[in-house]
């Protein structure tokens, strides 16, 4: 059977997303290695502690570029409207997979939109505090220590959101990950998760 | 009892939180005692430090001071600082021996993320092990006395190691050995404290009513203590009045890290439990 597939993400969107995704995961793991002595061994994957310390900020710079491109590509679709607020009001039905009671989402549901804004904000915190830590000779001890605190706070926030994001994008909603891989999703997937968006597409 | 190099704390390890006290305490604990009122400014200690530790010589320039180098560097671990400070009609010529104080609670060690890059021994010495250093310079911002210096070539940090190789063999540090006036003394910390009391008393009799011992409690005391004639004007000596081994931001960081490890675990487990409870939401391809 060959149902026509819907195109969800362009090549540019996918490559940008994966630059951000892959760099973020590498940064998260090497960053946690610096935060937790019991995880220091994770630096082995980047060639040891000293190499990890050199690479972490360089990969961070790539992440920073990626997050800016992602922001520009997606901001248009990410403003919350009245129906998104309804969606947030009914979030417990979404969590319980009670799809009939979930107000229909557009291309992104309100949770995804909030994730976008949170990651963009954290991106700024990551990059700003990361730059301070990258060039410590230019900053005071107090500012450096503050940067360490902020950098970790962003890690905690970003890491926790990432767990939810990866869970939802892979095992919780089969068919979602494909949209970020070859850019396509099935009409049934779109009707279930993004009815307002699927309407846009399927009707013509 | 022979001088051993029993370890007290190692950076980025459990001993950074709970020192290995119960297991290995009992050996000698040393301290330097610097009595700046006896210093004649000869800088013999600087030369001895360079010689003993085989540190590279650096070009110095005259910048209008008696001081040799402008600042500590990865190859200059000891610097006698000379400052002229006006005191009413008087001029005070302030000399300070700038080098690692070997804190009892070392901020550098607490801040360091690399296991084994900073080691504190039971005898009080705090030493850097460059083999394990990752070059992050967190020790620099963790030190309340601005001591560690980053070497751009080796990408590691360096500072005074209290001539640990001499101390281990029962000798005093090189600067102590060379000082012609005994302005730098060396011995068991308790003896040095008693000695300091006498020195402070004598200074007071000589009219320095605010003479004091600098052995700040915020870092648990130090293993290089200063007798300062003007104890009420620590800023003239560039000595912080209230140094702390764990500034507020780093205490906050440690707290966040501790709850963070639970939150990450909680997040992963929640996703798992949610999956077991409601399973995947599969689109009906025939609907
Ligand atoms: C291994 C890690 C990751 C996986 C498996 C993953 C997976 C996905 C998938 C499947 C989508 C498409 C969702 C849809 O079609 O509605 C998506 C979208 C998105 N991803 Fe990721 N992603 C990862 C990492 C990241 C990271 C690190 C960030 C940002 C820091 C990020 C930001 C986004 C954003 C903003 C969107 C659009 C909104 C949303 O779907 O929530 N992703 N991701
Ligand atoms: S003075 Fe600075 S470098 Fe020396 S032990 Fe104390 S915190 Fe560490
Ligand atoms: S620069 Fe080296 S010694 Fe200093 S905190 Fe980083 S790893 Fe530790």
């Amino acid at each position: 059977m060959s149902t026509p597939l819907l195109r969800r993400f362009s090549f540019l969107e996918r490559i940008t997303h994966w630059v951000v995704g892959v760099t973020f995961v590498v940064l998260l793991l090497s960053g946690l290695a610096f935060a937790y002595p019991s995880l220091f061994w994770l630096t082995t994957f980047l060639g040891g502690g000293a190499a990890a310390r050199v690479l972490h900020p360089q990969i961070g710079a790539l992440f920073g570029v990626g997050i800016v491109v992602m922001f520009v590509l997606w901001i248009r679709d990410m403003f919350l409207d009245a129906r998104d607020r309804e969606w947030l009001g009914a979030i417990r039905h979404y969590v319980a997979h009670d799809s009939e009671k979930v107000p229909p989402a557009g291309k992104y549901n309100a949770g995804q939109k909030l994730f976008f804004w949170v990651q963009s904000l954290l991106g700024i915190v990551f990059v700003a505090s990361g730059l301070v830590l990258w060039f410590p000779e230019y900053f005071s001890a107090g500012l450096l220590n503050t940067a360490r605190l902020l950098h970790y706070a962003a890690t905690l926030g970003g890491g926790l959101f990432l767990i939810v994001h990866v869970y939802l994008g892979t095992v919780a909603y089969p068919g979602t990950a494909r949209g970020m891989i070859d850019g396509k999703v099935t009409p049934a997937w779109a009707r279930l998760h993004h009815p307002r968006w699927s309407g846009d597409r399927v009707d013509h | 009892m022979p001088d051993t190099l029993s370890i007290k704390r190692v950076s980025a390890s459990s001993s950074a939180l709970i020192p290995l006290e119960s297991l290995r305490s009992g050996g000698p604990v040393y301290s330097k005692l610097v009595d700046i009122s006896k210093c004649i400014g000869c800088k013999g200690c600087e030369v001895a430090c360079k010689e003993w530790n085989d540190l590279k010589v650096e070009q110095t320039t005259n910048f209008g001071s008696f001081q040799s180098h402008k600042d500590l560097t990865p190859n200059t671990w000891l610097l006698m600082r000379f400052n002229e400070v006006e005191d009413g009609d008087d001029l005070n010529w302030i000399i300070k021996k700038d080098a690692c104080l070997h804190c009892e609670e070392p901020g550098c060690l607490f801040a360091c993320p690399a296991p084994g890059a900073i080691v504190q021994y039971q005898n009080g010495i705090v030493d850097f092990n460059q083999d394990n250093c990752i070059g992050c310079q967190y020790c620099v911002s963790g030190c309340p006395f601005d001591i560690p210096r980053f070497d751009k070539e080796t990408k590691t940090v360096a500072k005074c190691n209290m001539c640990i190789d001499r101390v281990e063999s029962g000798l005093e540090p090189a600067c102590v050995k060379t000082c012609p006036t005994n302005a730098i003394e060396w011995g068991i910390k308790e003896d040095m404290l008693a000695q300091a009391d006498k020195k402070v008393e004598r200074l007071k009799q000589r009219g320095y009513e605010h003479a004091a011992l600098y052995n700040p409690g915020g870092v648990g005391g130090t293993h290089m203590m200063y007798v300062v004639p003007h104890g009420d004007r620590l800023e003239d000596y560039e000595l912080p009045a209230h140094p702390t081994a764990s500034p507020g931001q780093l205490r906050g960081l440690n707290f966040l890290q501790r709850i963070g490890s639970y939150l990450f675990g909680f997040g992963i487990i929640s996703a798992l439990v949610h999956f077991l409870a409601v399973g995947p939401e599969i689109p009906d391809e025939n609907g």
Side-chain angles (χ1 to χ4, degrees):
Chain A
M1 182 181 90
S2 70
T3 31
L5 294 169
L6 307 180
R7 191 176 135 94
R8 187 157 170 82
F9 294 111
S10 71
F11 176 68
L12 180 63
E13 286 174 309
R14 280 176 279 142
I15 201 91
T16 304
H17 175 268
W18 288 121
V19 166
V20 171
V22 171
T23 53
F24 188 87
V25 170
V26 174
L27 289 166
L28 183 64
L29 294 181
S30 53
L32 289 178
F34 299 140
Y36 297 100
S38 55
L39 295 180
F40 193 77
W41 57 273
L42 283 170
T43 58
T44 309
F45 297 113
L46 290 182
R53 177 60 180 77
V54 171
L55 289 172
H56 183 93
Q58 295 177 350
I59 299 169
L62 190 59
F63 166 81
V65 172
I67 205 116
V68 170
V69 176
M70 190 149 131
F71 186 79
V72 172
L73 285 177
W74 287 348
I75 183 171
R76 219 163 40 91
D77 290 328
M78 293 298 180
F79 295 102
L80 277 85
D81 59 25
R83 302 180 73 181
D84 287 324
R85 277 183 278 276
E86 276 171 43
W87 187 96
L88 284 175
I91 192 157
R92 70 203 132 89
H93 300 304
Y94 173 79
V95 172
H97 290 184
D98 245 344
S99 52
E100 279 99 71
K101 293 191 195 139
V102 179
K107 175 155 186 185
Y108 302 106
N109 65 41
Q112 290 176 299
K113 290 181 179 178
L114 288 178
F115 177 67
F116 169 86
W117 290 110
V118 168
Q119 289 298 11
S120 302
L121 190 77
L122 291 181
I124 296 172
V125 179
F126 272 127
V127 172
S129 57
L131 277 173
V132 171
L133 295 170
W134 198 359
F135 302 104
E137 54 273 36
Y138 300 108
F139 303 98
S140 71
L143 188 64
L144 282 158
N145 290 335
T146 306
R148 285 188 70 187
L149 177 63
L150 290 177
H151 209 68
Y152 183 79
T155 305
L156 186 54
L160 291 177
F161 274 101
L162 184 69
I163 294 170
V164 179
H165 180 70
V166 172
Y167 169 62
L168 296 181
T170 56
V171 290
Y173 302 131
T176 308
R178 184 172 177 186
M180 231 2 128
I181 297 168
D182 67 3
K184 300 187 184 96
V185 290
T186 64
W189 178 91
R191 275 196 301 278
L192 176 61
H193 297 300
H194 300 276
R196 281 196 277 150
W197 177 73
S198 76
D200 288 355
R201 311 275 135 163
V202 175
D203 288 349
H204 25 79
Chain B
M1 173 179 234
D3 291 349
T4 56
L5 288 180
S6 298
I7 285 169
K8 181 167 191 167
R9 289 186 173 101
V10 176
S11 58
S13 81
S14 57
S15 64
L17 302 173
I18 305 159
L20 300 165
E21 217 129 26
S22 52
L23 286 175
R24 301 176 186 217
S25 44
V29 176
Y30 296 109
S31 181
K32 267 186 217 169
L33 180 63
V34 180
D35 178 358
I36 227 59
S37 66
K38 280 181 147 186
C39 175
I40 53 168
C42 72
K43 301 173 209 158
C45 51
E46 289 187 6
V47 178
C49 178
K50 286 256 176 194
E51 289 244 315
W52 180 264
N53 294 300
D54 230 344
L55 298 172
K56 259 186 252 163
V57 178
E58 289 161 316
Q59 178 71 54
T60 57
T61 49
N62 183 342
F63 54 97
S65 162
F66 202 64
Q67 196 171 311
S68 60
H69 304 64
K70 271 214 156 127
D71 196 9
L72 294 171
T73 74
N75 286 298
T76 300
W77 296 348
L78 161 57
L79 177 61
M80 297 309 282
R81 289 187 187 269
F82 296 83
N83 278 319
E84 288 157 33
V85 179
E86 280 178 48
D87 178 11
D89 293 337
D90 241 356
L91 189 70
N92 274 323
W93 200 34
I94 302 241
I95 310 179
K96 174 198 175 184
K97 180 183 192 286
D98 195 15
C100 174
L101 283 83
H102 297 271
C103 308
E104 181 57 28
E105 285 164 19
C108 58
L109 188 149
F110 297 148
C112 175
I118 305 181
V119 179
Q120 182 185 37
Y121 296 94
Q122 294 288 345
N123 64 19
I125 297 178
V126 178
D127 194 14
F128 286 2
N129 180 354
Q130 280 82 4
D131 276 355
N132 293 331
C133 172
I134 63 170
C136 64
Q137 305 172 57
Y138 288 175
C139 53
V140 178
S141 45
C143 168
F145 304 103
D146 186 26
I147 296 300
R149 289 292 182 274
F150 184 63
D151 187 334
K152 287 202 167 75
E153 269 166 50
T154 62
K155 298 238 187 306
T156 57
V157 286
K159 68 162 187 69
C160 158
N161 63 10
M162 198 72 114
C163 293
I164 187 164
D165 46 350
R166 294 177 58 91
V167 173
E168 178 190 17
S169 317
L171 300 172
E172 69 281 68
C175 57
V176 178
K177 171 88 179 167
T178 216
C179 179
T181 64
N182 258 353
I184 318 169
E185 289 184 63
W186 171 255
I188 301 295
K189 177 150 183 178
E190 275 170 38
D191 300 345
M192 290 298 107
L193 283 168
Q195 183 79 346
D197 283 346
K198 283 192 224 151
K199 283 171 181 287
V200 168
E201 213 33 62
R202 224 171 299 145
L203 278 169
K204 283 189 173 158
Q205 283 165 13
R206 279 174 55 195
Y208 294 97
E209 48 178 324
H210 297 293
L213 176 69
Y214 189 75
N215 177 35
V219 295
T222 58
H223 295 270
M224 173 168 81
M225 303 184 290
Y226 292 98
V227 174
V228 275
H230 301 283
D232 55 333
R233 297 212 307 266
L234 288 174
E235 63 283 359
D236 289 353
Y237 297 87
E238 293 170 50
L239 290 170
H242 304 287
T244 168
S246 40
Q249 300 100 318
L250 296 189
R251 276 204 309 275
L253 175 66
N254 286 343
F255 174 73
L256 271 193
Q257 284 173 343
R258 209 157 321 147
I259 59 168
S261 54
Y262 291 105
L263 288 178
F264 280 127
F266 176 77
I268 291 168
I269 291 169
S270 305
L272 203 71
V273 169
H274 182 261
F275 190 73
L276 295 178
V278 298
E281 192 171 24
I282 302 168
D284 180 2
E285 295 296 341
N286 306 315

